[in-house]
Amino acid sequence: MRTQVGIIGAGPAGLLLSHLLHLRGISSVVLEKRSRDYVERRVRAGVLEQGTVDALVEAGVGERMLREGLPHHGIELRYGGAGHRIPFEKLVPGRSITVYGQQEVVKDLIAARLAAGGDVRFEVEDVAVHGLEPGSDTGPYVTFGGERLDCDVIAGCDGFHGVSRPSIPEGVLSVFEREYPFAWLGILANVTPSSEELIYTRTERGFALHSMRSPTVSRFYLQVPADTSVDDWPDERIWDELKARLESVPGFTLTTGEITEKGVTPMRSFVVEPMQYGRLYLAGDAAHIVPPTGAKGLNLAVADVRVLTEALEAYFSDGSTALLDGYSEACLKRVWRAQHFSWWMTTLLHTFEEDDAYGRRLQLSYLDYVTSSEAAATTLAENYVGLPYGR
């Protein structure tokens, strides 16, 4: 087989890249080791930046998102027995976020690719990348399940644990990472959200987040020890702890109900540089991971894909390699801004060592500053809704 772009991974990055290339007349094949059912049910991020919403609409896959997604024009920071709203409509006019689950984005993209006759293959085995070395006689190609896919370019969109990044020779990449001494216990519950907007809560018991997926489904997170097992958290204990952390404001009552899903997410910051080698280009979690506090993972993947699409369009239209050569540098500017924002939100709202009284006073001081200074609140809002493209 032959195609112009071989794409490894059928998550949001790989599927959106394939669709954007299709709209520009560029062929691709998407290879995914998981089943279609698995990737369409895999619960991940749910907060879409303004730029991500715009990108999906421009690609013609935003109709259901606009109909069913939940636009939000602010978030609440809750600490010290009071809630403080960060009003996006005042601080960053015309920009907001939309709550719409990553699995829903994936469903929309798969439907669009298949409707357009796209070649998306699920449950492929033994995927391997070859021919990346500069000057290779064969050029880049991918093998899988006894087959071979020759291509001009390979896009590694297969996540942190995928095969793309390890295919780059040792010593080429610089790795920057940080692991946090806690994790998030996340749940989905069939309950009406107790708030119209997301609530980020800092307490002496630890961090908690109240989010939602629809008018009838809520999403919650609890800061827990890094070695936590889901088995340690029966439903009753989860609700008790969520109440203890969220019901810290007079008049607020948390609605409880059936929990349909539980999972523990480790907290990690990770970046590799450069995000390319030969004709292999990494996008999304294959190149960078952020702690979920800043809601940047999916949005960074979409940003990578936008840059890569523009570069590939130039390459296949007139042979220009300038944008492809500058792909990593262009992406990393936004990646590192998002890394800092996610680290900052994480350190601002989570409880660290029990005896770190100094650190806790610093947290409270900065929370007071963010919630009382329009300039500080604007910085948070601008980063949260996503910086405009080109900056």
Side-chain angles (χ1 to χ4, degrees):
M1 293 184 296
R2 179 163 185 84
T3 190
Q4 289 171 288
V5 183
I7 301 174
I8 305 175
L15 292 167
L16 180 59
L17 176 61
S18 178
H19 193 64
L20 291 176
L21 294 176
H22 162 73
L23 295 176
R24 289 157 176 80
I26 300 170
S27 66
S28 67
V29 175
V30 182
L31 304 174
E32 169 60 50
K33 70 176 182 179
R34 303 283 192 174
S35 68
R36 177 180 176 180
D37 182 68
Y38 179 89
V39 298
E40 289 187 337
R41 292 175 178 270
R42 180 170 47 190
V43 176
R44 291 290 187 271
V47 173
L48 307 184
E49 294 178 352
Q50 184 68 57
T52 298
V53 171
D54 295 343
L56 294 174
V57 171
E58 291 165 6
V61 293
E63 180 182 354
R64 191 165 71 94
M65 172 192 65
L66 294 178
R67 186 175 65 249
E68 300 178 9
L70 306 175
H72 284 202
H73 300 280
I75 59 172
E76 180 182 327
L77 299 181
R78 184 172 291 186
Y79 69 100
H84 306 266
R85 185 171 184 266
I86 306 297
F88 300 156
E89 71 277 10
K90 174 185 177 182
L91 302 171
V92 283
R95 301 181 68 78
S96 61
I97 61 166
T98 296
V99 175
Y100 188 66
Q102 175 173 311
Q103 71 273 24
E104 304 305 324
V105 174
V106 167
K107 291 175 187 176
D108 296 341
L109 287 168
I110 289 176
R113 293 306 304 122
L114 296 182
D119 193 343
V120 183
R121 305 187 180 205
F122 297 98
E123 299 183 80
V124 299
E125 299 179 347
D126 302 323
V127 176
V129 177
H130 310 270
L132 297 180
E133 297 76 12
S136 168
D137 294 335
T138 63
Y141 66 97
V142 182
T143 56
F144 63 97
E147 299 189 62
R148 170 170 167 158
L149 175 65
D150 289 286
C151 37
D152 298 293
V153 170
I154 299 173
C157 306
D158 49 347
F160 183 78
H161 299 290
V163 301
S164 297
R165 190 180 65 253
S167 300
I168 297 175
E170 187 175 351
V172 171
L173 300 178
S174 297
V175 178
F176 305 87
E177 59 185 329
R178 172 168 295 176
E179 295 200 7
Y180 297 85
F182 42 75
W184 273 14
L185 171 65
I187 67 165
L188 277 177
N190 286 333
V191 297
T192 301
S194 303
S195 169
E196 293 182 356
E197 296 179 335
L198 278 72
I199 303 173
Y200 287 78
T201 301
R202 180 233 179 256
T203 75
E204 293 301 313
R205 303 176 69 96
F207 168 81
L209 173 60
H210 177 301
S211 184
M212 61 286 295
R213 286 294 180 269
S214 76
T216 59
V217 177
S218 296
R219 181 74 158 155
F220 299 95
Y221 296 98
L222 285 168
Q223 176 187 349
V224 294
D227 59 353
T228 291
S229 168
V230 170
D231 297 335
D232 298 333
W233 287 86
D235 293 5
E236 184 177 1
R237 183 185 179 192
I238 291 174
W239 288 122
D240 287 346
E241 192 60 33
L242 283 169
K243 285 185 173 184
R245 300 187 192 185
L246 288 166
E247 291 184 347
S248 56
V249 173
F252 179 85
T253 302
L254 183 67
T255 303
T256 63
E258 177 193 16
I259 295 176
T260 59
E261 183 170 321
K262 303 177 188 178
V264 175
T265 301
M267 302 286 279
R268 173 190 291 116
S269 298
F270 175 86
V271 182
V272 293
E273 296 184 4
M275 292 170 53
Q276 60 192 90
Y277 175 73
R279 284 290 176 258
L280 169 66
Y281 300 87
L282 304 177
D285 287 359
H288 42 73
I289 299 284
V290 290
T293 325
K296 294 300 171 208
L298 169 60
N299 296 295
L300 279 180
V302 171
D304 291 345
V305 164
R306 288 177 65 130
V307 175
L308 186 54
T309 299
E310 183 181 357
L312 290 171
E313 184 176 23
Y315 176 67
F316 287 114
S317 63
D318 60 18
S320 172
T321 62
L323 293 180
L324 277 177
D325 293 342
Y327 166 74
S328 180
E329 182 180 0
C331 290
L332 285 170
K333 291 179 180 179
R334 180 176 292 268
V335 167
W336 278 112
R337 175 85 299 273
Q339 286 284 336
H340 180 269
F341 178 68
S342 300
W343 166 85
W344 177 76
M345 287 282 284
T346 301
T347 55
L348 183 65
L349 295 165
H350 289 73
T351 302
F352 287 80
E353 293 83 359
E354 293 183 3
D355 60 349
D356 187 14
Y358 178 83
R360 296 187 185 199
R361 295 297 294 178
L362 289 179
Q363 286 179 316
L364 294 172
S365 173
Y366 209 99
L367 281 166
D368 286 341
Y369 178 53
V370 168
T371 56
S372 62
S373 164
E374 184 169 316
T378 300
T379 296
L380 190 158
E382 185 179 43
N383 281 271
Y384 196 91
V385 303
L387 297 175
Y389 287 101
R391 288 185 50 189

